[in-house]
Coordinates of all heavy atoms in Angstrom, one line a residue:
R147 N 19.9 -10.1 36.0 CA 19.1 -9.3 35.1 C 18.8 -8.0 35.9 O 18.6 -8.0 37.1 CB 17.7 -10.0 34.8 CG 17.9 -11.2 34.0 CD 16.5 -11.8 33.7 NE 16.5 -13.1 33.0 CZ 16.6 -13.3 31.7 NH1 16.5 -12.2 30.9 NH2 16.6 -14.5 31.2
C148 N 18.6 -6.9 35.1 CA 18.2 -5.6 35.7 C 16.7 -5.6 35.5 O 16.2 -5.0 34.5 CB 18.9 -4.4 35.2 SG 19.0 -4.3 33.4
S149 N 15.9 -6.2 36.4 CA 14.5 -6.4 36.2 C 13.9 -6.8 37.6 O 14.6 -7.4 38.4 CB 14.3 -7.5 35.2 OG 13.0 -8.0 35.2
P150 N 12.6 -6.6 37.8 CA 12.0 -7.1 39.0 C 11.8 -8.6 39.0 O 11.4 -9.2 40.0 CB 10.7 -6.4 39.1 CG 10.3 -6.0 37.7 CD 11.7 -5.8 37.0
F151 N 12.0 -9.2 37.8 CA 11.7 -10.7 37.7 C 13.0 -11.4 37.3 O 13.7 -11.0 36.4 CB 10.6 -10.9 36.6 CG 9.4 -10.1 36.9 CD1 9.1 -9.0 36.0 CD2 8.6 -10.3 38.0 CE1 8.0 -8.2 36.3 CE2 7.4 -9.5 38.2 CZ 7.1 -8.5 37.3
P152 N 13.2 -12.6 37.8 CA 14.4 -13.4 37.5 C 14.4 -14.0 36.1 O 15.4 -14.5 35.7 CB 14.5 -14.4 38.6 CG 13.1 -14.6 39.1 CD 12.4 -13.2 38.9
F153 N 13.2 -14.1 35.5 CA 13.0 -14.8 34.3 C 12.8 -13.9 33.1 O 12.7 -14.4 31.9 CB 11.8 -15.7 34.4 CG 10.5 -15.0 34.8 CD1 9.7 -14.3 33.9 CD2 10.2 -14.9 36.1 CE1 8.6 -13.6 34.3 CE2 9.0 -14.3 36.5 CZ 8.2 -13.6 35.6
A154 N 12.9 -12.6 33.2 CA 12.6 -11.6 32.1 C 13.4 -10.4 32.4 O 13.8 -10.0 33.5 CB 11.2 -11.3 32.0
G155 N 13.6 -9.6 31.3 CA 14.3 -8.3 31.4 C 15.8 -8.4 30.9 O 16.3 -9.5 30.7
P156 N 16.4 -7.3 30.7 CA 17.8 -7.3 30.2 C 18.8 -8.2 31.0 O 18.9 -8.0 32.2 CB 18.2 -5.8 30.2 CG 16.9 -5.1 30.2 CD 15.9 -5.9 31.0
K157 N 19.5 -9.1 30.3 CA 20.4 -10.0 31.0 C 21.8 -9.6 30.7 O 22.1 -9.0 29.7 CB 20.1 -11.4 30.4 CG 20.8 -12.5 31.1 CD 20.4 -13.9 30.5 CE 21.1 -15.0 31.3 NZ 20.7 -16.3 30.7
R158 N 22.6 -10.0 31.7 CA 24.1 -9.6 31.6 C 24.7 -10.1 30.3 O 24.4 -11.2 29.8 CB 24.9 -10.3 32.7 CG 24.7 -9.6 34.0 CD 25.6 -10.2 35.1 NE 25.6 -9.2 36.2 CZ 26.4 -8.2 36.3 NH1 27.3 -8.0 35.3 NH2 26.3 -7.4 37.3
L159 N 25.6 -9.3 29.7 CA 26.3 -9.7 28.5 C 27.7 -10.2 28.9 O 28.5 -10.7 28.0 CB 26.5 -8.5 27.6 CG 25.2 -7.9 27.1 CD1 25.4 -6.6 26.2 CD2 24.4 -8.9 26.2
H160 N 28.1 -10.1 30.2 CA 29.3 -10.7 30.7 C 29.1 -11.0 32.2 O 28.2 -10.4 32.8 CB 30.5 -9.8 30.5 CG 30.4 -8.5 31.3 ND1 30.7 -8.4 32.7 CD2 30.1 -7.2 31.0 CE1 30.5 -7.2 33.1 NE2 30.1 -6.5 32.1
P161 N 29.8 -12.0 32.7 CA 29.6 -12.3 34.1 C 30.1 -11.2 35.0 O 30.9 -10.4 34.6 CB 30.4 -13.6 34.3 CG 31.4 -13.6 33.2 CD 30.8 -12.9 32.0
V162 N 29.7 -11.3 36.3 CA 30.2 -10.3 37.3 C 31.7 -10.7 37.4 O 32.1 -11.9 37.6 CB 29.5 -10.5 38.6 CG1 30.1 -9.6 39.7 CG2 28.0 -10.2 38.5
P163 N 32.6 -9.7 37.4 CA 34.0 -10.0 37.4 C 34.5 -10.6 38.7 O 35.4 -11.4 38.8 CB 34.7 -8.7 37.1 CG 33.7 -7.8 36.5 CD 32.4 -8.3 37.1
V164 N 33.9 -10.1 39.8 CA 34.4 -10.5 41.2 C 33.1 -10.9 42.0 O 32.2 -10.1 42.0 CB 35.1 -9.4 41.9 CG1 35.6 -9.8 43.2 CG2 36.2 -8.9 41.0
P165 N 33.1 -12.0 42.7 CA 32.0 -12.3 43.6 C 31.8 -11.2 44.6 O 32.8 -10.7 45.1 CB 32.3 -13.7 44.2 CG 33.3 -14.3 43.3 CD 34.1 -13.1 42.6
L166 N 30.6 -10.9 45.0 CA 30.4 -9.8 45.9 C 31.1 -10.1 47.2 O 31.7 -9.2 47.8 CB 28.9 -9.7 46.2 CG 28.4 -8.5 47.0 CD1 28.7 -7.2 46.2 CD2 26.9 -8.5 47.2
A167 N 31.2 -11.3 47.7 CA 31.8 -11.7 49.0 C 33.3 -11.5 48.9 O 34.0 -11.3 49.9 CB 31.5 -13.1 49.4
A168 N 33.9 -11.5 47.6 CA 35.3 -11.4 47.5 C 35.8 -9.9 47.4 O 37.0 -9.7 47.3 CB 35.8 -12.1 46.2
L169 N 34.9 -9.0 47.5 CA 35.3 -7.6 47.5 C 36.0 -7.2 48.8 O 36.8 -6.3 48.8 CB 34.1 -6.6 47.3 CG 33.4 -6.6 46.0 CD1 32.3 -5.6 46.0 CD2 34.4 -6.2 44.9
G170 N 35.7 -7.9 49.9 CA 36.2 -7.5 51.2 C 35.3 -6.4 51.8 O 34.3 -6.0 51.2
P171 N 35.7 -5.9 52.9 CA 34.8 -4.9 53.6 C 34.6 -3.6 52.8 O 35.6 -3.2 52.1 CB 35.6 -4.6 54.9 CG 36.5 -5.7 55.1 CD 36.9 -6.2 53.7
V172 N 33.4 -3.1 52.8 CA 33.1 -1.9 52.1 C 32.6 -0.9 53.1 O 31.7 -1.2 53.9 CB 32.0 -2.1 51.0 CG1 31.5 -0.8 50.4 CG2 32.5 -3.0 49.9
D173 N 33.1 0.3 53.2 CA 32.7 1.3 54.2 C 31.4 1.9 53.9 O 30.6 2.1 54.8 CB 33.8 2.4 54.3 CG 35.1 1.9 54.8 OD1 35.2 1.6 56.0 OD2 36.1 1.8 54.0
V174 N 31.1 2.2 52.6 CA 29.8 2.8 52.3 C 29.4 2.4 50.9 O 30.2 2.4 50.0 CB 29.9 4.3 52.5 CG1 31.0 5.0 51.6 CG2 28.5 5.0 52.1
V175 N 28.1 2.1 50.7 CA 27.6 1.8 49.4 C 26.8 3.1 49.0 O 26.0 3.6 49.8 CB 26.6 0.6 49.4 CG1 25.8 0.5 48.1 CG2 27.4 -0.7 49.7
V176 N 27.0 3.6 47.8 CA 26.4 4.8 47.3 C 25.4 4.4 46.1 O 25.8 3.7 45.2 CB 27.4 5.8 46.8 CG1 26.7 7.0 46.1 CG2 28.3 6.3 47.9
I177 N 24.2 4.8 46.3 CA 23.2 4.6 45.2 C 22.8 5.9 44.5 O 22.6 6.9 45.2 CB 21.9 3.9 45.8 CG1 22.3 2.6 46.6 CG2 20.9 3.7 44.8 CD1 22.8 1.5 45.7
S178 N 22.8 5.9 43.2 CA 22.5 7.1 42.5 C 20.9 7.3 42.3 O 20.5 8.4 42.4 CB 23.1 7.1 41.1 OG 22.6 6.1 40.3
H179 N 20.2 6.2 42.1 CA 18.7 6.3 42.0 C 18.2 4.9 42.0 O 18.9 3.9 42.1 CB 18.3 7.1 40.7 CG 18.7 6.5 39.4 ND1 20.0 6.3 39.0 CD2 18.0 6.0 38.4 CE1 20.1 5.7 37.8 NE2 18.9 5.5 37.4
D180 N 16.8 4.8 41.9 CA 16.2 3.5 42.2 C 15.9 2.7 41.0 O 15.1 1.7 41.1 CB 15.0 3.7 43.1 CG 13.8 4.4 42.4 OD1 13.9 4.7 41.2 OD2 12.8 4.5 43.0
H181 N 16.4 2.9 39.8 CA 16.1 2.1 38.6 C 16.9 0.7 38.8 O 17.9 0.7 39.5 CB 16.6 2.8 37.3 CG 15.6 3.9 36.9 ND1 16.0 4.9 36.1 CD2 14.3 4.1 37.2 CE1 14.9 5.7 35.9 NE2 13.9 5.2 36.6
Y182 N 16.3 -0.3 38.1 CA 16.8 -1.7 38.4 C 18.3 -1.9 38.0 O 18.9 -2.8 38.5 CB 15.9 -2.7 37.6 CG 14.5 -2.8 38.2 CD1 13.5 -2.0 37.8 CD2 14.3 -3.6 39.3 CE1 12.2 -2.1 38.4 CE2 13.1 -3.7 39.9 CZ 12.0 -3.0 39.4 OH 10.8 -3.1 40.0
D183 N 18.8 -1.1 37.0 CA 20.2 -1.3 36.6 C 21.1 -0.5 37.5 O 22.3 -0.5 37.3 CB 20.4 -0.9 35.1 CG 19.9 0.5 34.8 OD1 18.9 1.0 35.4 OD2 20.6 1.1 34.0
H184 N 20.6 0.1 38.6 CA 21.4 0.8 39.6 C 21.1 0.3 41.0 O 22.0 0.5 41.9 CB 21.2 2.3 39.4 CG 21.7 2.8 38.1 ND1 22.9 3.5 37.9 CD2 21.1 2.8 36.9 CE1 23.0 3.8 36.6 NE2 21.9 3.4 36.0
L185 N 19.9 -0.1 41.2 CA 19.5 -0.5 42.6 C 19.0 -1.9 42.4 O 17.9 -2.1 42.0 CB 18.5 0.4 43.2 CG 18.0 0.0 44.6 CD1 19.1 0.0 45.6 CD2 16.9 1.0 45.0
D186 N 19.8 -2.9 42.8 CA 19.5 -4.3 42.6 C 19.1 -5.0 44.0 O 20.0 -5.1 44.9 CB 20.7 -5.0 42.0 CG 20.5 -6.5 41.7 OD1 19.5 -6.9 41.1 OD2 21.4 -7.3 42.2
M187 N 17.9 -5.5 44.1 CA 17.4 -6.0 45.4 C 18.3 -7.2 45.9 O 18.7 -7.1 47.1 CB 16.0 -6.4 45.3 CG 15.4 -7.0 46.6 SD 13.8 -7.7 46.5 CE 14.2 -9.2 45.5
P188 N 18.6 -8.2 45.1 CA 19.5 -9.3 45.6 C 20.8 -8.8 46.1 O 21.3 -9.3 47.2 CB 19.6 -10.2 44.4 CG 18.5 -9.9 43.5 CD 18.2 -8.5 43.7
T189 N 21.4 -7.8 45.4 CA 22.7 -7.3 45.9 C 22.5 -6.5 47.2 O 23.4 -6.7 48.1 CB 23.3 -6.3 44.8 OG1 23.4 -7.1 43.6 CG2 24.7 -5.9 45.2
I190 N 21.5 -5.7 47.3 CA 21.3 -5.0 48.6 C 21.0 -5.9 49.7 O 21.5 -5.7 50.8 CB 20.1 -4.0 48.4 CG1 20.5 -2.9 47.3 CG2 19.8 -3.3 49.7 CD1 21.7 -2.1 47.6
K191 N 20.2 -7.0 49.5 CA 20.0 -7.9 50.5 C 21.2 -8.6 51.0 O 21.4 -8.8 52.2 CB 18.9 -8.9 50.1 CG 17.5 -8.4 50.0 CD 16.5 -9.6 49.8 CE 15.1 -9.1 50.1 NZ 14.1 -10.2 50.0
A192 N 22.1 -8.9 50.1 CA 23.4 -9.5 50.5 C 24.2 -8.5 51.3 O 24.9 -8.9 52.3 CB 24.2 -10.0 49.2
L193 N 24.3 -7.3 50.9 CA 25.1 -6.2 51.6 C 24.4 -5.9 52.9 O 25.1 -5.4 53.8 CB 25.2 -5.0 50.7 CG 26.1 -5.2 49.5 CD1 25.9 -4.0 48.5 CD2 27.6 -5.3 50.0
A194 N 23.1 -6.1 53.1 CA 22.4 -5.8 54.3 C 22.9 -6.6 55.5 O 22.8 -6.3 56.6 CB 20.9 -6.0 54.2
G195 N 23.5 -7.8 55.1 CA 24.1 -8.6 56.2 C 25.5 -8.3 56.6 O 26.1 -9.0 57.4
T196 N 26.0 -7.2 56.0 CA 27.4 -6.7 56.4 C 27.2 -5.5 57.3 O 26.2 -5.1 57.7 CB 28.2 -6.3 55.1 OG1 27.6 -5.2 54.5 CG2 28.2 -7.5 54.1
D197 N 28.4 -4.8 57.6 CA 28.4 -3.6 58.4 C 28.4 -2.3 57.6 O 28.5 -1.2 58.2 CB 29.6 -3.6 59.4 CG 29.5 -4.8 60.4 OD1 28.4 -5.2 60.8 OD2 30.6 -5.3 60.8
T198 N 28.3 -2.4 56.3 CA 28.4 -1.2 55.5 C 27.3 -0.2 55.7 O 26.2 -0.6 56.1 CB 28.5 -1.6 54.0 OG1 28.8 -0.5 53.2 CG2 27.1 -2.1 53.5
L199 N 27.6 1.0 55.5 CA 26.6 2.1 55.5 C 26.1 2.3 54.1 O 26.8 1.9 53.1 CB 27.2 3.4 56.0 CG 27.7 3.4 57.5 CD1 28.4 4.7 57.8 CD2 26.6 3.0 58.5
F200 N 25.0 3.0 53.9 CA 24.4 3.3 52.6 C 24.1 4.7 52.5 O 23.4 5.3 53.3 CB 23.1 2.5 52.4 CG 23.3 1.0 52.4 CD1 23.4 0.2 53.5 CD2 23.4 0.3 51.1 CE1 23.5 -1.1 53.5 CE2 23.5 -1.1 51.1 CZ 23.6 -1.8 52.3
A201 N 24.6 5.4 51.5 CA 24.3 6.8 51.1 C 23.4 6.8 49.9 O 23.8 6.3 48.9 CB 25.6 7.6 50.9
V202 N 22.2 7.3 50.1 CA 21.2 7.3 49.0 C 20.5 8.6 48.9 O 20.5 9.4 49.8 CB 20.2 6.2 49.3 CG1 20.9 4.8 49.5 CG2 19.4 6.5 50.6
P203 N 19.9 8.9 47.7 CA 19.1 10.1 47.5 C 17.8 10.0 48.3 O 17.4 8.9 48.7 CB 18.8 10.1 46.0 CG 19.8 9.2 45.4 CD 20.1 8.1 46.4
L204 N 17.3 11.1 48.6 CA 16.1 11.3 49.4 C 14.9 10.4 48.9 O 14.6 10.4 47.7 CB 15.6 12.8 49.3 CG 14.6 13.2 50.3 CD1 15.0 12.9 51.8 CD2 14.4 14.7 50.1
G205 N 14.4 9.6 49.8 CA 13.3 8.7 49.4 C 13.7 7.3 49.1 O 12.9 6.3 49.4
V206 N 14.9 7.1 48.6 CA 15.4 5.7 48.2 C 15.5 4.8 49.5 O 15.5 3.6 49.4 CB 16.7 5.8 47.4 CG1 17.3 4.5 47.1 CG2 16.4 6.6 46.1
G207 N 15.7 5.4 50.6 CA 15.9 4.6 51.8 C 14.7 3.7 52.1 O 14.8 2.7 52.8
A208 N 13.5 4.1 51.6 CA 12.3 3.3 51.8 C 12.5 1.9 51.2 O 12.1 0.9 51.8 CB 11.1 4.0 51.2
H209 N 13.1 1.9 50.0 CA 13.3 0.6 49.4 C 14.3 -0.3 50.2 O 14.1 -1.5 50.5 CB 14.0 0.8 48.0 CG 13.1 1.5 47.0 ND1 11.8 1.2 46.8 CD2 13.4 2.5 46.2 CE1 11.3 2.0 45.8 NE2 12.3 2.8 45.4
L210 N 15.4 0.4 50.7 CA 16.4 -0.4 51.4 C 15.9 -0.9 52.8 O 16.2 -2.0 53.1 CB 17.6 0.5 51.6 CG 18.7 0.5 50.5 CD1 18.1 1.0 49.2 CD2 19.9 1.2 50.8
E211 N 15.1 -0.1 53.4 CA 14.5 -0.6 54.7 C 13.6 -1.8 54.4 O 13.5 -2.7 55.2 CB 13.8 0.5 55.4 CG 14.7 1.6 56.1 CD 13.9 2.5 57.0 OE1 13.1 2.0 57.8 OE2 14.1 3.7 56.9
H212 N 12.8 -1.7 53.3 CA 11.9 -2.8 53.0 C 12.7 -4.1 52.7 O 12.2 -5.2 52.9 CB 11.2 -2.4 51.7 CG 10.1 -3.3 51.3 ND1 9.0 -3.5 52.0 CD2 10.0 -4.1 50.1 CE1 8.2 -4.4 51.4 NE2 8.8 -4.7 50.2
W213 N 14.0 -4.0 52.3 CA 14.8 -5.2 52.0 C 15.7 -5.5 53.2 O 16.6 -6.4 53.0 CB 15.6 -4.9 50.8 CG 14.7 -4.7 49.5 CD1 13.5 -5.2 49.3 CD2 15.1 -3.9 48.4 NE1 13.0 -4.7 48.1 CE2 14.0 -3.9 47.5 CE3 16.2 -3.1 48.1 CZ2 14.0 -3.2 46.3 CZ3 16.2 -2.4 46.9 CH2 15.1 -2.5 46.0
G214 N 15.6 -4.9 54.3 CA 16.3 -5.4 55.5 C 17.4 -4.5 56.0 O 18.2 -4.9 56.9
V215 N 17.7 -3.3 55.4 CA 18.7 -2.4 55.9 C 18.1 -1.6 57.0 O 17.1 -0.9 56.8 CB 19.2 -1.5 54.7 CG1 20.3 -0.5 55.3 CG2 19.8 -2.4 53.6
S216 N 18.8 -1.6 58.1 CA 18.3 -0.8 59.3 C 18.4 0.7 59.0 O 19.3 1.2 58.3 CB 19.0 -1.2 60.5 OG 20.4 -0.8 60.4
A217 N 17.5 1.5 59.6 CA 17.5 2.9 59.4 C 18.8 3.6 59.9 O 19.2 4.6 59.3 CB 16.3 3.5 60.1
G218 N 19.4 3.0 60.9 CA 20.6 3.5 61.4 C 21.8 3.4 60.5 O 22.8 4.1 60.8
R219 N 21.7 2.6 59.5 CA 22.8 2.5 58.5 C 22.6 3.3 57.2 O 23.3 3.2 56.3 CB 23.0 1.0 58.2 CG 23.5 0.2 59.3 CD 23.4 -1.3 59.1 NE 24.1 -1.7 57.9 CZ 23.9 -2.9 57.3 NH1 23.1 -3.7 57.9 NH2 24.6 -3.2 56.2
L220 N 21.5 4.1 57.2 CA 21.2 4.9 56.1 C 21.6 6.4 56.2 O 21.4 7.0 57.3 CB 19.7 4.9 55.8 CG 19.1 3.6 55.3 CD1 17.6 3.7 55.3 CD2 19.6 3.2 53.9
R221 N 22.2 6.9 55.2 CA 22.4 8.4 55.1 C 21.7 8.8 53.8 O 22.1 8.6 52.7 CB 23.9 8.6 54.9 CG 24.8 8.0 56.0 CD 24.6 8.7 57.3 NE 25.6 8.2 58.3 CZ 25.3 7.2 59.1 NH1 24.2 6.6 59.1 NH2 26.2 6.8 60.0

Side-chain angles (χ1 to χ4, degrees):
R147 296 181 186 271
C148 50
S149 164
F151 308 109
F153 54 84
K157 190 176 182 180
R158 284 186 166 276
L159 301 175
H160 65 79
V162 177
V164 184
L166 192 61
L169 288 183
V172 173
D173 294 291
V174 57
V175 172
V176 175
I177 303 297
S178 64
H179 64 296
D180 71 358
H181 285 160
Y182 288 96
D183 56 325
H184 296 260
L185 180 61
D186 179 54
M187 182 187 70
T189 305
I190 296 300
K191 283 190 167 185
L193 290 167
T196 69
D197 295 329
T198 188
L199 300 175
F200 293 83
V202 303
L204 192 55
V206 174
H209 297 312
L210 274 63
E211 285 192 48
H212 187 64
W213 299 330
V215 178
S216 64
R219 290 166 57 194
L220 290 173
R221 305 290 185 269

